[in-house]
Amino acid sequence: MFGTPAQSQDRMVVWQGDGLTVRSHFQGGINLVSEGNLFWNFADTAAPGSGYDSDTNWAEFYIKPGLSFENLLDGGDVFYGKLSGVVSYTMGTDAYAAGDTGRATLEEAYLGYRTTSANGTRFDFSLGPRELKLGTGMLIANGGSSGFERGALKFGPRKAWEMAAIAKLSQGGFTGTMFYIDPNENPSSDNDNRLAGLDLRFDGAGGGYQGLTFVKVLKSGSPYVQAAAGGIGAPTILPGAREGTNALSYYGRTGKLGGGFENAFFALDMAYQWNDRVNLRAWAGRVQAGYTFTDLPWSPTLSYGFQTFSGDDPNTARLERFDPLYYEGSPSSWATGSKSSMVFINSNVKAHNLTLRLKPSPKDTITFRYAHIRANELLSPIQFGQGTRVVLANGVPLVISGVTGAHLADDFFLEYSRIINRNTFLTAGVSLSKPGTGITGAVGGSVPNWTGGFVNVVFNF
């Protein structure tokens, strides 16, 4: 025998001996969701005969079992790897009219090697499907797709890239990461994307950090959409336009500050994109500031953020619509609104975000989020063809796209989280989206508020 069953306080360690440690992993969850007046009840106006139900309830389930190993070699080098999969299912009909469906898919299947030189320089290389998030997740974070035929739309349990080659070189607080990634897209919407790039990051002793990321799209069948000249007419779909797109982004956040600002933080993200093949020039950014009032009951943290993503200017021949690539779309990260993020991707939108987080106990967290969401460019697509319709101008029918009023929505989200034990977590939330003039003008007539709620339990071992 090469080892013995592990005698460890970590019950997930199944084997340990001769430098080899084998560990099992398990994650799973149950999510109950209810939605009313989905998408502000657009279906009744845009497609009254479709049979789409704007009021629906569904349940999501997933499990993610896995097995990993680390083998400590002579001299301190480490050979490691992990294998895991996801089984997900949606019971009932979800927000995108998919349901009673699910899939079992491979999640992680990588091997890696890391070593440390005598001067402290660390090298780490891995190959195979695995997770990779760069910076704050503005562009590169979510490598896997869920929902639709795979089920578990809200949970989104798949995060790993279908293939990833990642090389990291670190010295002190500096880390350089070279990567090649292939996203694990739903088969029904796989556009054969391939990306590569470089991330340079510095982590300070006080918890602050800053970094630069360069991404190049090597291959893609994903289209871009361009506004009609002057905003009059249907938008133009540019097949395969993502291929060749370059993105350069900066991210940074302060660490522990002095001078009475010990409980404050400030953060900045910026990105610029270009693609000469389709004459693309686009930009995006976010500023954030927050403060934790440690002397007050429940230690409230109040933060404000403003994020903006360029839209295509219908009065230019250039394409200015920002491509958010594979951003992390959770409410605590890069979602534009809570409910509105199901309608608008991070392109041609901007939002003021206000967050209040309370800690009644070490195990309980209450979070309130408010987002005021607006369009950057009028008469320009917000999503692919979003809002394309016929209007009358002086009795003449005209095809337009996008919105004629900048205010899209105001989103309100109240969330409660409870740590039941070290492996079990409960989250519940209610949300409301009030349509703005951009939405009411596009639909016409009375537009209801979009409401929803959920409760889920996640297990993580």
Side-chain angles (χ1 to χ4, degrees), residues 117-128:
S117 67
N119 67 355
T121 300
R122 303 174 298 280
F123 175 74
D124 188 325
F125 175 78
S126 66
L127 179 66

Side-chain angles (χ1 to χ4, degrees), residues 330-354:
S330 67
S332 61
S333 187
W334 281 97
T336 296
S338 51
K339 300 202 126 358
S340 295
S341 62
M342 296 175 64
V343 182
F344 312 125
I345 61 174
N346 287 351
S347 186
N348 194 20
V349 290
K350 55 187 174 184
H352 298 271
N353 300 297
L354 189 65

Side-chain angles (χ1 to χ4, degrees), residues 11 80 119 123 152 182-183 205 220 230 337 339 348 353 356 360 397 443 449:
R11 56 186 174 179
Y80 65 93
N119 67 355
F123 175 74
D182 170 8
S220 178
K339 300 202 126 358
N348 194 20
N353 300 297
L356 175 63
V443 176
N449 295 332

Side-chain angles (χ1 to χ4, degrees), residues 221-234:
S222 296
Y224 284 162
V225 59
Q226 188 166 23
I232 305 301

Side-chain angles (χ1 to χ4, degrees), residues 67 69 80-85 106-112 126-131 160-164:
L67 198 67
F69 77 91
Y80 65 93
K82 187 175 183 180
L83 177 68
S84 68
L106 179 69
E107 180 69 354
E108 298 158 298
Y110 62 86
L111 294 173
S126 66
L127 179 66
R130 71 174 305 181
E131 296 183 21
W161 304 87
E162 186 173 304
M163 177 54 66

Side-chain angles (χ1 to χ4, degrees), residues 25-184:
H25 304 264
F26 181 81
Q27 190 181 108
I30 303 171
N31 190 27
L32 305 178
V33 185
S34 178
E35 297 281 351
N37 294 319
L38 270 159
F39 311 117
W40 307 285
N41 214 8
F42 266 16
D44 282 2
T45 302
S50 67
Y52 179 83
D53 191 349
S54 298
D55 302 309
T56 186
N57 309 293
W58 73 90
E60 301 178 350
F61 312 88
Y62 83 94
I63 58 171
K64 186 188 293 187
L67 198 67
S68 67
F69 77 91
E70 281 197 358
N71 190 20
L72 182 62
L73 307 175
D74 293 340
D77 297 348
V78 177
F79 181 53
Y80 65 93
K82 187 175 183 180
L83 177 68
S84 68
V86 173
V87 181
S88 59
Y89 190 80
T90 292
M91 183 172 64
T93 303
D94 68 19
Y96 297 119
D100 296 325
T101 186
R103 295 291 190 275
T105 59
L106 179 69
E107 180 69 354
E108 298 158 298
Y110 62 86
L111 294 173
Y113 174 80
R114 60 177 176 263
T115 184
T116 303
S117 67
N119 67 355
T121 300
R122 303 174 298 280
F123 175 74
D124 188 325
F125 175 78
S126 66
L127 179 66
R130 71 174 305 181
E131 296 183 21
L132 175 67
K133 175 183 174 180
L134 300 176
T136 60
M138 182 186 195
L139 296 173
I140 301 296
N142 192 5
S145 298
S146 297
F148 300 94
E149 66 265 32
R150 289 178 172 175
L153 171 71
K154 290 278 192 177
F155 261 146
R158 295 169 180 83
K159 304 295 183 185
W161 304 87
E162 186 173 304
M163 177 54 66
I166 305 169
K168 294 186 177 184
L169 190 66
S170 305
Q171 174 68 54
F174 291 93
T175 302
T177 303
M178 294 182 65
F179 61 91
Y180 167 87
I181 48 179
D182 170 8
N184 179 16

Side-chain angles (χ1 to χ4, degrees), residues 7 21 26 81 159 182 184 209 285 295 353 387 402 411 426 452:
Q7 302 297 316
T21 300
F26 181 81
K159 304 295 183 185
D182 170 8
N184 179 16
Y209 58 81
D295 296 333
N353 300 297
D411 282 15
L426 169 71

